Amino acid sequence: MKYIITLTLVVSMFSCKGNAQKKEETFKVSKTEQEWRAALTAEEFYVLRDKGTEPAFSSEFNNNHAKGTYVCAACQTPLFKSEHKYDSGSGWPSFDREIKGNVAFSTDYDLGYGRTEEHCAICGGHLGHVFDDGPRETTGKRHCINGVALDFIPAKN
C-alpha cells in the first residue's frame, strides 16, 4: 500500500502543470483580446487566438495552385511560399517547409499527447501543426495549416 501511495505522489508531482511553469511570450505585434476580436473575423479569431481548427476540406486554399505567398491573416507576415505547397489529402493546406524565422514552434498536449504546434512568430497566431509524414523527396515535413489563418498574395508577373 505504501508503494502505491508513494508512486501516486511521485507521478502527481512530476505531471502537474501550474501557471508558474507557463512562459509568457511576447510578440512584435501584440493586441488585447478585444483588439484582436475587432480586427479578425469570428472564424479567424477562433483559429488564430483560441487555437481552434477549421473543418477539413473547408479552406479555399486547398485547391489554390497560383504562385504567390501565404501570409498570416492577423499581421500579414509571410509564412509559406506556394512552391512549397502540396496536396497531402489531409483536408488542410499543407506545405513541406516554412519561411524561416517567421513561423515559431511549440509543443501542445491538447489531445493528451505531444504535437508540434506552429504559430506566427510575429503575432503569435495559431496556424496548425507540423508532422513528420510529408514528402520524403523534400523535407519529410507536413505543415498542416488552417486556411483561415492565412491570406494569399499572388506573385506579380
Side-chain angles (χ1 to χ4, degrees):
M1 186 66 165
K2 272 186 174 179
Y3 175 75
I4 294 172
I5 293 171
T6 304
L7 181 61
T8 303
L9 287 172
V10 169
V11 169
S12 65
M13 283 177 20
F14 287 105
S15 64
C16 288
K17 281 185 154 185
N19 286 339
Q21 294 175 340
K22 289 185 180 178
K23 180 182 148 193
E24 194 64 37
E25 292 185 72
T26 56
F27 298 97
K28 289 179 186 174
V29 174
S30 183
K31 297 181 181 186
T32 65
E33 180 178 339
Q34 185 176 4
E35 290 170 327
W36 281 123
R37 284 191 186 279
L40 302 170
T41 67
E43 294 83 10
E44 288 170 338
F45 186 88
Y46 169 68
V47 169
L48 287 160
R49 307 318 305 173
D50 282 341
K51 297 184 179 184
T53 302
E54 69 187 2
F57 301 101
S58 66
S59 174
E60 64 182 298
F61 296 134
N62 280 337
N63 295 313
N64 182 21
H65 302 289
K67 292 184 191 256
T69 304
Y70 292 86
V71 301
C72 177
C75 69
Q76 301 301 295
T77 297
L79 303 171
F80 303 97
K81 295 180 180 179
S82 61
E83 61 259 32
H84 301 135
K85 184 175 180 286
Y86 71 98
D87 182 6
S88 68
S90 68
W92 290 275
S94 297
F95 304 85
D96 69 354
R97 69 198 77 176
E98 78 283 5
I99 295 175
K100 297 285 184 207
N102 292 352
V103 176
F105 303 91
S106 60
T107 303
D108 83 43
Y109 294 93
D110 294 346
L111 297 179
Y113 59 91
R115 296 183 300 167
T116 302
E117 178 190 350
E118 297 185 73
H119 55 273
C120 175
I122 305 304
C123 73
H126 171 76
L127 303 172
H129 294 85
V130 63
F131 303 98
D132 290 324
D133 60 0
R136 294 287 166 221
E137 63 276 4
T138 60
T139 64
K141 300 292 183 187
R142 174 173 55 100
H143 297 261
C144 188
I145 306 300
N146 290 284
V148 73
L150 303 171
D151 286 336
F152 180 72
I153 300 175
K156 295 179 182 168
N157 293 334

